[in-house]
Amino acid sequence: MSDDHDDAIASHPPLDDNGLARLDELLAPEQLGEEAPDVVSAHGFLVALAVAPQSPPQAQWLAELFETAPAFAELEARDEAVALMETLTRQAGDILERGEWLELPFDSELDDDGEMAAAIEDWCAGFMQAVFLDEATWFAQDESHVAALLLPFMALSGLFEEEPDMAEMVADEAQFSALAAQLPELTLDLYLHFRVPPEPPKRGPGKSGGKQTGKSRGGARQGGARQRGGKR
């Protein structure tokens, strides 16, 4: 799970260890081939579905995640995998709806063999893959704010490594780790952005006004323009 969380904000896994381990087995290359998503990239994709302003139909997101119809050898295995993925998405939404953070399937502190950095990159690439599935809807409300919130996901995903500004953001381990540590908070910020009405403008002196409604939303620690990319 991710480290460096603010102790004041609870965090929870959207799928328990047993469920995640079983999903890992069902998505193993021995079962579905080398082109199938691994459990970490699928996790990022499914969390993004929970964050998204509107959910795409199951057939659409399955085809996008697997780049084709998932080739499970047995119908029971397919149904079990889909049920676990839907549970992950639903429970991620429940956690975010409570204003809490998600525990992600990696630590933000990097290890010497590079496995943690690879997991972070795969998770963010999966997240961005789901964003591209319905990009227009993601950016329909306050495009510049959404782009700023998504910037760390984009930089960490490896999908934009040929763009100098993106590469500079993750040029060393300290920067990479610092951005990764922001992901749970930014995920919640994005979820709230799509669901909490913006603060109404304050009325000037002498004008009648009611009580303001809506919650305040967190902002990204990075700014930037909207970028477009594709799957690896």
Side-chain angles (χ1 to χ4, degrees), residues 4-131:
D4 302 326
H5 286 183
D6 186 336
D7 290 338
I9 300 180
S11 61
H12 306 279
L15 196 62
D16 63 26
D17 289 344
N18 290 335
L20 200 61
R22 179 56 180 157
L23 184 58
D24 190 20
E25 293 175 0
L26 292 166
L27 298 180
E30 308 89 79
Q31 304 295 328
L32 297 179
E34 295 294 334
E35 299 303 316
D38 63 19
V39 70
V40 174
S41 59
H43 191 289
F45 183 94
L46 297 166
V47 166
L49 292 186
V51 171
Q54 61 184 31
S55 300
Q58 182 193 97
Q60 183 181 5
W61 66 256
L62 274 176
E64 176 69 18
L65 178 60
F66 289 91
E67 300 185 5
T68 182
F72 290 96
E74 299 178 355
L75 182 60
E76 292 81 1
R78 179 194 182 281
D79 290 346
E80 184 180 3
V82 171
L84 284 168
M85 290 188 285
E86 290 183 329
T87 297
L88 193 159
T89 302
R90 182 181 68 256
Q91 294 185 164
D94 291 344
I95 293 165
L96 295 169
E97 183 65 25
R98 296 196 301 268
E100 298 170 339
W101 288 351
L102 298 175
E103 287 185 8
L104 304 184
F106 51 77
D107 295 321
S108 60
E109 294 298 325
L110 304 184
D111 50 10
D112 293 335
D113 57 14
E115 289 187 6
M116 203 60 65
I120 294 168
E121 180 176 312
D122 288 346
W123 190 89
C124 289
F127 191 99
M128 290 308 303
Q129 183 182 357
V131 173

Side-chain angles (χ1 to χ4, degrees), residues 141 192-202 210-218:
Q141 179 183 331
L192 294 177
H193 171 76
F194 295 127
R195 289 162 181 83
V196 179
E199 294 283 355
K202 294 182 179 180
K211 183 178 179 181
Q212 290 190 5
T213 60
K215 303 175 184 176
S216 61
R217 295 194 298 266

